[in-house]
Amino acid sequence: MERAELQRYLDTLLEVERFKDYCPNGLQVEGRAAIRRVVCGVTASQALLDAAVARGADAVLVHHGYFWRGEDARITGLRKNRLATLLRNDISLFAYHLPLDAHPELGNNAQLGKLMGWVPEGRFGEQDLGWTGRLSHPMTLATLARQAGARLGRDPLLLGDPERRIERIAWCTGGAQAYFEQAIATGVDCFVSGEASEPTTHLARESGVAYLGIGHHASERYGVQALGARLTEVFGIEAEFVEVANPV
């Protein structure tokens, strides 16, 4: 398919125009016009770009791309190496940040809930990025943590009484620990996100609401996989997810 057609499809599907984001969403680096093979990943790291080159990819599709607000705009060092890899090999880079978090079917939050078997009930937070819902059946916090660890392949950070009964849950993938207070206000028993910061422990202790930090990378692998699968289904192009290990 043509690069411009893919760009229009992804931008429309993910409704990029309705989001206020910290980076440009969509086509970030322009490569060759024809796209037959796409490599998908969480972050456009050098390791992912090298994998794309090795696989003969025409485009890379990620959640975390480049040109973040407030970062140094100079093309030097590691940034130069990454961009040079794309340009030298005529590979396009597509990146979708908040639009991929929020999509009701293919997004990171939707896919995490599906993986964990959580029943969605509502949204909260900035631009309705956070999700609320219920477990398929109540369980202790310790059991929920073990279940998350088994399905994500990473032991989560657990803050709260391991024996606490969890029924209502809120979640937002990635670095959404700043949404914890808003999640508490919705009346849930537990909030799940990717990371924790210093205040997170105190909020969990003082509110009595549990917190699970399941990993930024681990929680955001599934949206881009679902998006790649959709491209294969609709257009018949090859879309391969490449896992670049990240303990964070």
Side-chain angles (χ1 to χ4, degrees):
M1 68 183 304
E2 292 296 306
R3 181 192 64 245
E5 180 187 3
L6 178 59
Q7 180 180 0
R8 285 192 297 271
Y9 177 80
L10 290 172
D11 287 358
T12 301
L13 176 67
L14 298 175
E15 301 181 283
V16 297
E17 293 301 323
R18 78 178 182 88
F19 289 93
K20 296 179 180 178
D21 211 336
Y22 320 106
C23 62
N25 287 293
L27 181 64
Q28 291 191 338
V29 178
E30 182 179 304
R32 62 183 67 100
I35 295 179
R36 299 177 181 86
R37 180 174 297 167
V38 177
V39 159
C40 305
V42 176
T43 298
S45 64
Q46 188 65 50
L48 185 70
L49 302 184
D50 291 343
V53 172
R55 287 161 170 78
D58 304 301
V60 172
L61 173 63
V62 296
H63 180 48
H64 301 137
Y66 304 150
F67 313 117
W68 298 92
R69 182 192 306 161
E71 73 176 7
D72 190 337
R74 290 174 292 183
I75 309 302
T76 60
L78 300 178
R79 184 176 292 106
K80 177 209 168 188
N81 293 339
R82 291 175 174 181
L83 290 173
T85 300
L86 291 166
L87 295 171
R88 183 170 58 246
N89 292 281
D90 209 15
I91 297 173
S92 293
L93 174 65
F94 292 88
Y96 295 92
H97 185 231
L98 295 185
L100 186 56
D101 285 321
H103 193 273
E105 178 190 358
L106 305 175
N108 287 319
N109 287 313
Q111 290 295 312
L112 177 63
K114 180 180 178 181
L115 177 73
M116 295 300 302
W118 300 335
V119 181
E121 293 183 334
R123 301 285 190 96
F124 74 98
E126 179 187 359
Q127 302 182 80
D128 288 334
L129 291 173
W131 289 44
T132 60
R134 294 183 180 272
L135 304 186
S136 57
H137 59 276
M139 63 186 69
T140 66
L141 176 61
T143 300
L144 177 62
R146 285 195 298 271
Q147 187 181 86
R151 295 184 184 178
L152 296 172
R154 180 190 188 277
D155 292 334
L157 170 69
L158 185 157
L159 301 176
D161 178 3
E163 297 306 312
R164 171 165 182 161
R165 184 177 187 269
I166 306 298
E167 182 173 357
R168 295 199 65 229
I169 191 166
W171 68 96
C172 191
T173 64
Q177 62 269 38
Y179 286 7
F180 193 13
E181 284 191 83
Q182 296 176 61
I184 291 168
T186 68
V188 297
D189 305 308
C190 180
F191 179 52
V192 178
S193 187
E195 302 179 24
S197 51
E198 196 278 339
T200 309
T201 297
H202 305 296
L203 288 172
R205 287 173 178 167
E206 294 170 26
S207 68
V209 176
Y211 183 93
L212 282 185
I214 59 175
H216 194 137
H217 174 86
S219 66
E220 295 195 323
R221 287 184 295 217
Y222 305 102
V224 73
Q225 291 184 49
L227 188 56
R230 177 61 59 86
L231 295 181
T232 299
E233 175 188 348
V234 174
F235 298 106
I237 62 176
E238 181 182 340
E240 178 187 358
F241 177 78
V242 174
E243 171 73 354
V244 177
N246 188 334
V248 175

